[in-house]
mmCIF file of all heavy atoms in Angstrom:
data_model
loop_
_atom_site.group_PDB
_atom_site.id
_atom_site.type_symbol
_atom_site.label_atom_id
_atom_site.label_comp_id
_atom_site.label_asym_id
_atom_site.label_seq_id
_atom_site.Cartn_x
_atom_site.Cartn_y
_atom_site.Cartn_z
ATOM 1 N N CYS A 1387 -6.104 13.964 -2.032
ATOM 2 C CA CYS A 1387 -7.555 14.011 -2.108
ATOM 3 C C CYS A 1387 -8.031 15.452 -1.846
ATOM 4 O O CYS A 1387 -9.186 15.665 -1.504
ATOM 5 C CB CYS A 1387 -8.200 13.074 -1.088
ATOM 6 S SG CYS A 1387 -7.910 11.338 -1.433
ATOM 7 N N ALA A 1388 -7.117 16.413 -1.995
ATOM 8 C CA ALA A 1388 -7.433 17.803 -1.690
ATOM 9 C C ALA A 1388 -7.760 18.590 -2.957
ATOM 10 O O ALA A 1388 -8.929 18.805 -3.282
ATOM 11 C CB ALA A 1388 -6.274 18.452 -0.917
ATOM 12 N N ARG A 1389 -6.711 19.010 -3.666
ATOM 13 C CA ARG A 1389 -6.919 19.778 -4.911
ATOM 14 C C ARG A 1389 -5.830 19.420 -5.888
ATOM 15 O O ARG A 1389 -4.655 19.251 -5.576
ATOM 16 C CB ARG A 1389 -6.826 21.302 -4.607
ATOM 17 C CG ARG A 1389 -8.039 21.858 -3.900
ATOM 18 C CD ARG A 1389 -9.268 21.849 -4.755
ATOM 19 N NE ARG A 1389 -10.444 22.402 -4.090
ATOM 20 C CZ ARG A 1389 -11.317 21.712 -3.387
ATOM 21 N NH1 ARG A 1389 -11.129 20.392 -3.233
ATOM 22 N NH2 ARG A 1389 -12.350 22.321 -2.826
ATOM 23 N N GLY A 1390 -6.238 19.274 -7.168
ATOM 24 C CA GLY A 1390 -5.269 19.065 -8.240
ATOM 25 C C GLY A 1390 -4.375 20.281 -8.360
ATOM 26 O O GLY A 1390 -4.817 21.426 -8.229
ATOM 27 N N GLY A 1391 -3.102 20.037 -8.614
ATOM 28 C CA GLY A 1391 -2.151 21.147 -8.767
ATOM 29 C C GLY A 1391 -1.250 21.301 -7.556
ATOM 30 O O GLY A 1391 -0.198 21.951 -7.644
ATOM 31 N N ILE A 1392 -1.604 20.735 -6.420
ATOM 32 C CA ILE A 1392 -0.702 20.791 -5.263
ATOM 33 C C ILE A 1392 0.511 19.920 -5.529
ATOM 34 O O ILE A 1392 1.628 20.255 -5.103
ATOM 35 C CB ILE A 1392 -1.467 20.327 -3.988
ATOM 36 C CG1 ILE A 1392 -2.641 21.262 -3.700
ATOM 37 C CG2 ILE A 1392 -0.512 20.278 -2.800
ATOM 38 C CD1 ILE A 1392 -3.519 20.818 -2.532
ATOM 39 N N ILE A 1393 0.312 18.833 -6.211
ATOM 40 C CA ILE A 1393 1.402 17.966 -6.629
ATOM 41 C C ILE A 1393 1.676 18.232 -8.100
ATOM 42 O O ILE A 1393 0.759 18.209 -8.947
ATOM 43 C CB ILE A 1393 1.070 16.467 -6.425
ATOM 44 C CG1 ILE A 1393 0.767 16.185 -4.964
ATOM 45 C CG2 ILE A 1393 2.210 15.577 -6.911
ATOM 46 C CD1 ILE A 1393 0.268 14.782 -4.694
ATOM 47 N N ASP A 1394 2.931 18.468 -8.456
ATOM 48 C CA ASP A 1394 3.342 18.598 -9.852
ATOM 49 C C ASP A 1394 3.201 17.202 -10.495
ATOM 50 O O ASP A 1394 3.993 16.302 -10.188
ATOM 51 C CB ASP A 1394 4.783 19.073 -9.922
ATOM 52 C CG ASP A 1394 5.286 19.312 -11.347
ATOM 53 O OD1 ASP A 1394 4.776 18.630 -12.264
ATOM 54 O OD2 ASP A 1394 6.137 20.153 -11.535
ATOM 55 N N GLU A 1395 2.229 17.039 -11.360
ATOM 56 C CA GLU A 1395 1.920 15.713 -11.910
ATOM 57 C C GLU A 1395 3.067 15.158 -12.728
ATOM 58 O O GLU A 1395 3.324 13.933 -12.735
ATOM 59 C CB GLU A 1395 0.627 15.771 -12.718
ATOM 60 C CG GLU A 1395 -0.592 16.007 -11.841
ATOM 61 C CD GLU A 1395 -1.890 16.031 -12.634
ATOM 62 O OE1 GLU A 1395 -1.799 16.035 -13.897
ATOM 63 O OE2 GLU A 1395 -2.972 16.046 -12.022
ATOM 64 N N ASN A 1396 3.770 15.992 -13.483
ATOM 65 C CA ASN A 1396 4.889 15.521 -14.269
ATOM 66 C C ASN A 1396 6.050 15.055 -13.367
ATOM 67 O O ASN A 1396 6.710 14.071 -13.654
ATOM 68 C CB ASN A 1396 5.341 16.589 -15.237
ATOM 69 C CG ASN A 1396 4.336 16.862 -16.335
ATOM 70 O OD1 ASN A 1396 3.669 15.964 -16.828
ATOM 71 N ND2 ASN A 1396 4.188 18.127 -16.697
ATOM 72 N N ALA A 1397 6.250 15.802 -12.277
ATOM 73 C CA ALA A 1397 7.280 15.375 -11.316
ATOM 74 C C ALA A 1397 6.893 14.072 -10.642
ATOM 75 O O ALA A 1397 7.739 13.203 -10.422
ATOM 76 C CB ALA A 1397 7.477 16.483 -10.261
ATOM 77 N N LEU A 1398 5.615 13.910 -10.331
ATOM 78 C CA LEU A 1398 5.139 12.658 -9.747
ATOM 79 C C LEU A 1398 5.362 11.499 -10.677
ATOM 80 O O LEU A 1398 5.828 10.428 -10.282
ATOM 81 C CB LEU A 1398 3.655 12.779 -9.400
ATOM 82 C CG LEU A 1398 2.958 11.501 -8.896
ATOM 83 C CD1 LEU A 1398 3.642 10.937 -7.667
ATOM 84 C CD2 LEU A 1398 1.477 11.754 -8.616
ATOM 85 N N LEU A 1399 5.070 11.681 -11.957
ATOM 86 C CA LEU A 1399 5.249 10.616 -12.938
ATOM 87 C C LEU A 1399 6.723 10.231 -13.023
ATOM 88 O O LEU A 1399 7.052 9.041 -13.057
ATOM 89 C CB LEU A 1399 4.723 11.055 -14.298
ATOM 90 C CG LEU A 1399 4.836 10.034 -15.433
ATOM 91 C CD1 LEU A 1399 4.079 8.736 -15.075
ATOM 92 C CD2 LEU A 1399 4.313 10.600 -16.732
ATOM 93 N N ARG A 1400 7.611 11.239 -13.040
ATOM 94 C CA ARG A 1400 9.052 10.923 -13.092
ATOM 95 C C ARG A 1400 9.481 10.183 -11.844
ATOM 96 O O ARG A 1400 10.286 9.234 -11.931
ATOM 97 C CB ARG A 1400 9.833 12.240 -13.236
ATOM 98 C CG ARG A 1400 9.743 12.887 -14.609
ATOM 99 C CD ARG A 1400 10.730 14.034 -14.775
ATOM 100 N NE ARG A 1400 10.296 15.206 -14.003
ATOM 101 C CZ ARG A 1400 9.526 16.163 -14.457
ATOM 102 N NH1 ARG A 1400 9.112 16.099 -15.722
ATOM 103 N NH2 ARG A 1400 9.208 17.233 -13.739
ATOM 104 N N ALA A 1401 8.957 10.550 -10.671
ATOM 105 C CA ALA A 1401 9.316 9.875 -9.432
ATOM 106 C C ALA A 1401 8.796 8.442 -9.404
ATOM 107 O O ALA A 1401 9.469 7.534 -8.898
ATOM 108 C CB ALA A 1401 8.775 10.650 -8.263
ATOM 109 N N LEU A 1402 7.615 8.214 -9.970
ATOM 110 C CA LEU A 1402 7.056 6.850 -10.052
ATOM 111 C C LEU A 1402 7.915 5.978 -10.958
ATOM 112 O O LEU A 1402 8.193 4.822 -10.646
ATOM 113 C CB LEU A 1402 5.622 6.913 -10.563
ATOM 114 C CG LEU A 1402 4.566 7.458 -9.580
ATOM 115 C CD1 LEU A 1402 3.280 7.803 -10.317
ATOM 116 C CD2 LEU A 1402 4.272 6.440 -8.483
ATOM 117 N N GLU A 1403 8.314 6.551 -12.077
ATOM 118 C CA GLU A 1403 9.074 5.750 -13.058
ATOM 119 C C GLU A 1403 10.474 5.431 -12.564
ATOM 120 O O GLU A 1403 11.049 4.386 -12.896
ATOM 121 C CB GLU A 1403 9.120 6.509 -14.392
ATOM 122 C CG GLU A 1403 7.760 6.559 -15.078
ATOM 123 C CD GLU A 1403 7.766 7.360 -16.364
ATOM 124 O OE1 GLU A 1403 8.703 8.185 -16.536
ATOM 125 O OE2 GLU A 1403 6.846 7.186 -17.166
ATOM 126 N N SER A 1404 11.052 6.336 -11.752
ATOM 127 C CA SER A 1404 12.394 6.094 -11.233
ATOM 128 C C SER A 1404 12.378 5.223 -9.972
ATOM 129 O O SER A 1404 13.435 4.724 -9.560
ATOM 130 C CB SER A 1404 13.061 7.431 -10.895
ATOM 131 O OG SER A 1404 12.448 8.058 -9.747
ATOM 132 N N GLY A 1405 11.204 5.050 -9.371
ATOM 133 C CA GLY A 1405 11.107 4.310 -8.114
ATOM 134 C C GLY A 1405 11.267 5.166 -6.887
ATOM 135 O O GLY A 1405 11.171 4.665 -5.764
ATOM 136 N N GLN A 1406 11.561 6.463 -7.076
ATOM 137 C CA GLN A 1406 11.673 7.356 -5.922
ATOM 138 C C GLN A 1406 10.344 7.446 -5.178
ATOM 139 O O GLN A 1406 10.308 7.538 -3.952
ATOM 140 C CB GLN A 1406 12.151 8.753 -6.352
ATOM 141 C CG GLN A 1406 12.377 9.735 -5.241
ATOM 142 C CD GLN A 1406 13.506 9.316 -4.309
ATOM 143 O OE1 GLN A 1406 14.341 8.489 -4.644
ATOM 144 N NE2 GLN A 1406 13.527 9.907 -3.112
ATOM 145 N N CYS A 1407 9.236 7.423 -5.927
ATOM 146 C CA CYS A 1407 7.891 7.327 -5.342
ATOM 147 C C CYS A 1407 7.386 5.926 -5.529
ATOM 148 O O CYS A 1407 7.352 5.416 -6.679
ATOM 149 C CB CYS A 1407 6.955 8.354 -6.023
ATOM 150 S SG CYS A 1407 5.283 8.329 -5.345
ATOM 151 N N GLY A 1408 6.975 5.278 -4.458
ATOM 152 C CA GLY A 1408 6.566 3.895 -4.502
ATOM 153 C C GLY A 1408 5.117 3.687 -4.882
ATOM 154 O O GLY A 1408 4.691 2.561 -5.153
ATOM 155 N N GLY A 1409 4.339 4.728 -4.888
ATOM 156 C CA GLY A 1409 2.904 4.627 -5.251
ATOM 157 C C GLY A 1409 2.169 5.918 -4.926
ATOM 158 O O GLY A 1409 2.631 6.719 -4.108
ATOM 159 N N ALA A 1410 1.050 6.100 -5.588
ATOM 160 C CA ALA A 1410 0.263 7.328 -5.396
ATOM 161 C C ALA A 1410 -1.216 7.005 -5.435
ATOM 162 O O ALA A 1410 -1.656 6.140 -6.212
ATOM 163 C CB ALA A 1410 0.599 8.388 -6.456
ATOM 164 N N GLY A 1411 -1.950 7.689 -4.570
ATOM 165 C CA GLY A 1411 -3.409 7.632 -4.608
ATOM 166 C C GLY A 1411 -3.939 8.986 -4.947
ATOM 167 O O GLY A 1411 -3.706 9.966 -4.214
ATOM 168 N N LEU A 1412 -4.644 9.114 -6.059
ATOM 169 C CA LEU A 1412 -5.093 10.421 -6.542
ATOM 170 C C LEU A 1412 -6.597 10.455 -6.755
ATOM 171 O O LEU A 1412 -7.161 9.564 -7.397
ATOM 172 C CB LEU A 1412 -4.408 10.739 -7.879
ATOM 173 C CG LEU A 1412 -2.880 10.721 -7.889
ATOM 174 C CD1 LEU A 1412 -2.373 10.926 -9.326
ATOM 175 C CD2 LEU A 1412 -2.324 11.763 -6.964
ATOM 176 N N ASP A 1413 -7.227 11.482 -6.176
ATOM 177 C CA ASP A 1413 -8.678 11.702 -6.402
ATOM 178 C C ASP A 1413 -8.900 13.014 -7.146
ATOM 179 O O ASP A 1413 -10.015 13.260 -7.602
ATOM 180 C CB ASP A 1413 -9.384 11.712 -5.053
ATOM 181 C CG ASP A 1413 -10.906 11.810 -5.212
ATOM 182 O OD1 ASP A 1413 -11.453 11.003 -6.014
ATOM 183 O OD2 ASP A 1413 -11.522 12.629 -4.547
ATOM 184 N N VAL A 1414 -7.869 13.833 -7.234
ATOM 185 C CA VAL A 1414 -8.004 15.158 -7.861
ATOM 186 C C VAL A 1414 -6.818 15.378 -8.812
ATOM 187 O O VAL A 1414 -5.747 14.800 -8.627
ATOM 188 C CB VAL A 1414 -8.010 16.277 -6.783
ATOM 189 C CG1 VAL A 1414 -9.317 16.238 -5.984
ATOM 190 C CG2 VAL A 1414 -6.811 16.164 -5.830
ATOM 191 N N TYR A 1415 -7.030 16.254 -9.795
ATOM 192 C CA TYR A 1415 -6.082 16.386 -10.896
ATOM 193 C C TYR A 1415 -5.968 17.832 -11.337
ATOM 194 O O TYR A 1415 -6.898 18.637 -11.135
ATOM 195 C CB TYR A 1415 -6.494 15.506 -12.073
ATOM 196 C CG TYR A 1415 -6.814 14.095 -11.619
ATOM 197 C CD1 TYR A 1415 -8.107 13.765 -11.214
ATOM 198 C CD2 TYR A 1415 -5.815 13.128 -11.509
ATOM 199 C CE1 TYR A 1415 -8.412 12.500 -10.752
ATOM 200 C CE2 TYR A 1415 -6.116 11.848 -11.053
ATOM 201 C CZ TYR A 1415 -7.429 11.537 -10.682
ATOM 202 O OH TYR A 1415 -7.701 10.270 -10.191
ATOM 203 N N THR A 1416 -4.850 18.156 -11.972
ATOM 204 C CA THR A 1416 -4.636 19.526 -12.479
ATOM 205 C C THR A 1416 -5.734 19.850 -13.493
ATOM 206 O O THR A 1416 -6.267 20.985 -13.510
ATOM 207 C CB THR A 1416 -3.275 19.648 -13.117
ATOM 208 O OG1 THR A 1416 -2.275 19.314 -12.147
ATOM 209 C CG2 THR A 1416 -3.026 21.070 -13.608
ATOM 210 N N GLU A 1417 -6.043 18.901 -14.329
ATOM 211 C CA GLU A 1417 -7.182 19.056 -15.277
ATOM 212 C C GLU A 1417 -8.184 17.950 -15.005
ATOM 213 O O GLU A 1417 -7.792 16.789 -14.797
ATOM 214 C CB GLU A 1417 -6.662 18.919 -16.741
ATOM 215 C CG GLU A 1417 -5.700 19.997 -17.153
ATOM 216 C CD GLU A 1417 -5.166 19.767 -18.562
ATOM 217 O OE1 GLU A 1417 -4.407 18.800 -18.754
ATOM 218 O OE2 GLU A 1417 -5.555 20.535 -19.472
ATOM 219 N N GLU A 1418 -9.430 18.294 -14.965
ATOM 220 C CA GLU A 1418 -10.470 17.304 -14.705
ATOM 221 C C GLU A 1418 -11.555 17.370 -15.766
ATOM 222 O O GLU A 1418 -12.165 18.430 -15.934
ATOM 223 C CB GLU A 1418 -11.067 17.526 -13.299
ATOM 224 C CG GLU A 1418 -10.029 17.328 -12.191
ATOM 225 C CD GLU A 1418 -10.617 17.417 -10.799
ATOM 226 O OE1 GLU A 1418 -11.799 17.755 -10.656
ATOM 227 O OE2 GLU A 1418 -9.866 17.129 -9.819
#
């Protein structure tokens, strides 16, 4: 909920799809 770009969004998506990340809450994005 801070600033988009702190988390690599493509890396997050890969982690979600592999199950390495169990869930994400996002309020900010690299592009808005």
Side-chain angles (χ1 to χ4, degrees):
C1387 294
R1389 287 292 181 269
I1392 297 174
I1393 300 173
D1394 182 332
E1395 292 182 350
N1396 292 322
L1398 173 57
L1399 181 57
R1400 288 189 287 269
L1402 287 164
E1403 291 177 339
S1404 71
Q1406 184 63 18
C1407 180
L1412 304 175
D1413 186 49
V1414 291
Y1415 311 89
T1416 303
E1417 297 176 290
E1418 297 185 354

